[in-house]
Amino acid sequence: MTSASSQRSHRKSVTWLFFILLIIYLLYSSKLILNNDDSSDCVNTSSNISTTEAFSTNSSSLTFQERQERTKEYVRAKEPELKHIVFGIAASSNLWEKRKEYIKLWWRPGETRGVVWLDKNVKTNRNEALPDIKISGDTSKFLYTNRQGRRSALRISRVVSETLRLGLKDVRWFVMGDDDTVFIVENVVRVLSKYDHNQYYYIGSSSESHVQNIFFSYAMAYGGGGFAISYPLAKELEKMQDRCIQRYPGLYGSDDRIQACMAELGVPLTKERGFHQYDVYGNLLGLLGAHPVTPLVSLHHLDVVDPIFPGMSRVSGLQRLFESAKLDSASLMQQSICYDKERYWSISVSWGYVVQIIRGNISPRELEMPTRTFLNWYRRADYTAYAFNTRPVTKHPCQKPFVYYMNTAKYDRTRKQIIGIYYRHREPSPYCRWKVESPENINNIVLLKRPDSNRWQKSPRRECCGVLPSNNNSKTNLYMWVGSCRDGEISEL
């Protein structure tokens, strides 16, 4: 009995031992499976790390300059080029012969893309440097009830949509303007490069007239100054615009109809101050001589304002301005402020356009404010009617500016700089009692500048300027430089 009991007890122990070993085996097997899954992840991770390391190793084998070039190539691939922009130009057949001369100033056959939209056919000449001409669609079905406006606003408001329907390829932006709008196309590209063309953007600027903005809207891009619409937004606008137009028969113009549709789409105006409506009359010297620190994109109402260069026609004056734009479009009209402390002069430079010398010390805060050489849109000398700060034309005889307009400019390849010659505008100067040296003996200003096409890729800042030493044989010439400010350099009184 004792022997049998011990044998049964031994079998039970063996059975339990086998059972425990089986459980351990199963647990171990499952752990191996889990570990294999984890290890596969580890393999993938290590594979990714290996790939990254290989990329890093490959990158580290490049020189610093090569890495910079690769980065620049990537950035350039994302930035728009002129070929990605299509211009839609609203024009009138009645004014075509005169207004087409403005378009010729900035249009570049083979480089720029776009269409002029007219109300009816006009005579065309072969080999004219002009865009394609098309006739706007019929708008007679749309209501128009504004007694002060014209029905042409309906067809003009559809320019972007009609241009989109042409099915042009590789388009990122549509830019609209009038036939009396002049664009600096390089600066159009520079401004639009700040924005993602795959998103909804409506880019432009307000009027210079406070009253105009109140009457229409501060949220509206004025069409004469030009505005840009990204491709995906243009597609959404085209889908709903005809229905939208019918909802606003009482609006005055085309640009307020565009803004009304943008409000329905929920897209606000992105303001860029370089688009200029110029709802003013008279002399633009005050405005252009103190241009804001932003690229000059467009000029409008050129038939309304005086020629920008005295003694020249409007078109020939703009042609002279474009000579400067060819040399350094990024700096065109950009203001620099400096002082000749020995002669007690304040100097304001609007590069490519004008240099003004004023006796006495005028602070930069004042000089960057436009002088009211112009009248507002309602022909009143009312400084409260402007949508920006201005300062009066001085009444003090000693502080009347001596004005020097750009005459010629050329690029010196050996010195890698632009040499501009600015001639004094001859007009009577009032008698001044001050013992300060008068600039009236300075006939010409020679202005030196290195072109800087990348200036707007940096934070916005006015460039600096200064007076260069000159020999005694050139008392009638003043030599100056304009360029990027050095560390610690300011426009100091």
Side-chain angles (χ1 to χ4, degrees), residues 104-368:
K104 289 178 184 178
L105 290 168
W106 61 271
W107 189 256
R108 299 179 184 176
E111 295 182 57
T112 41
R113 294 200 292 166
V115 178
V116 173
W117 293 94
L118 283 159
D119 51 331
K120 59 184 180 182
N121 287 315
V122 293
K123 291 182 179 180
T124 57
N125 301 318
R126 288 185 179 181
N127 302 322
E128 279 191 296
L130 289 168
D132 293 336
I133 295 174
K134 294 189 179 296
I135 306 302
S136 299
D138 181 24
T139 57
S140 59
K141 65 179 181 180
F142 297 106
L143 293 174
Y144 187 84
T145 59
N146 191 297
R147 294 182 178 180
Q148 295 176 315
R150 297 178 182 176
R151 285 191 62 87
S152 59
L154 292 168
R155 74 171 187 88
I156 293 172
S157 68
R158 300 170 80 239
V159 162
V160 171
S161 293
E162 291 194 309
T163 307
L164 174 74
R165 291 177 193 137
L166 297 176
L168 300 173
K169 303 298 182 184
D170 200 19
V171 180
R172 298 185 184 180
W173 296 93
F174 292 96
V175 174
M176 181 176 172
D178 287 352
D179 50 5
D180 63 336
T181 305
V182 168
F183 289 101
I184 311 297
V185 292
E186 296 91 349
N187 288 340
V188 174
V189 176
R190 286 187 178 100
V191 165
L192 296 183
S193 67
K194 298 193 295 184
Y195 303 98
D196 182 356
H197 64 275
N198 295 306
Q199 304 297 320
Y200 289 1
Y201 276 109
Y202 165 51
I203 302 171
S205 191
S206 303
S207 171
E208 292 75 19
S209 168
H210 182 47
V211 179
Q212 288 280 88
N213 290 325
I214 291 174
F215 186 76
F216 293 103
S217 174
Y218 269 101
M220 182 183 89
Y222 279 70
F227 57 82
I229 296 178
S230 59
Y231 184 82
L233 179 56
K235 286 177 66 176
E236 291 302 308
L237 175 67
E238 188 273 334
K239 291 176 188 176
M240 55 82 76
Q241 188 176 23
D242 284 356
R243 302 194 311 274
C244 174
I245 287 174
Q246 290 285 46
R247 289 191 279 272
Y248 302 98
L251 294 180
Y252 175 85
S254 60
D255 37 17
D256 49 358
R257 281 176 168 78
I258 291 281
Q259 194 272 325
C261 297
M262 288 298 171
E264 292 192 2
L265 287 166
V267 180
L269 173 64
T270 299
K271 287 196 176 182
E272 283 287 347
R273 294 188 299 164
F275 291 89
H276 294 300
Q277 172 75 6
Y278 282 150
D279 281 340
V280 295
Y281 289 94
N283 189 349
L284 289 182
L285 174 63
L287 283 170
L288 298 180
H291 193 274
V293 185
T294 192
L296 173 68
V297 176
S298 65
L299 302 169
H300 180 235
H301 275 151
L302 298 168
D303 283 346
V304 173
V305 297
D306 298 342
I308 61 172
F309 287 98
M312 302 182 72
S313 70
R314 290 179 171 86
V315 172
S316 58
L318 290 165
Q319 285 173 336
R320 177 175 290 183
L321 187 68
F322 271 82
E323 291 301 314
S324 296
K326 290 176 185 176
L327 298 172
D328 189 359
S329 56
S331 297
L332 188 65
M333 292 288 181
Q334 292 306 302
Q335 187 185 27
S336 299
I337 295 171
C338 51
Y339 299 90
D340 187 331
K341 296 182 180 180
E342 291 184 3
R343 287 179 276 203
Y344 207 58
W345 292 347
S346 301
I347 304 174
S348 172
V349 177
S350 176
W351 189 85
Y353 175 53
V354 73
V355 178
Q356 299 180 74
I357 302 177
I358 307 168
R359 284 173 286 203
N361 279 342
I362 312 295
S363 70
R365 185 175 183 274
E366 294 173 276
L367 289 175
E368 69 180 11

Side-chain angles (χ1 to χ4, degrees), residues 461-479:
R461 186 186 182 185
R462 281 199 319 263
E463 288 190 323
C464 288
C465 63
V467 177
L468 294 169
S470 57
N471 56 51
N472 294 328
N473 297 326
S474 57
K475 290 183 178 180
T476 60
N477 292 339
L478 182 69
Y479 292 86

Side-chain angles (χ1 to χ4, degrees), residues 83-103:
K83 65 181 181 181
H84 297 134
I85 299 169
V86 173
F87 292 88
I89 304 163
S92 165
S93 58
N94 292 333
L95 300 169
W96 177 243
E97 284 302 313
K98 181 179 182 181
R99 295 280 181 82
K100 71 180 181 180
E101 299 304 320
Y102 294 129
I103 301 173

Side-chain angles (χ1 to χ4, degrees), residues 476-491:
T476 60
N477 292 339
L478 182 69
Y479 292 86
M480 296 185 63
W481 63 270
V482 168
S484 299
C485 300
R486 297 180 286 266
D487 289 345
E489 187 171 12
I490 62 173
S491 299

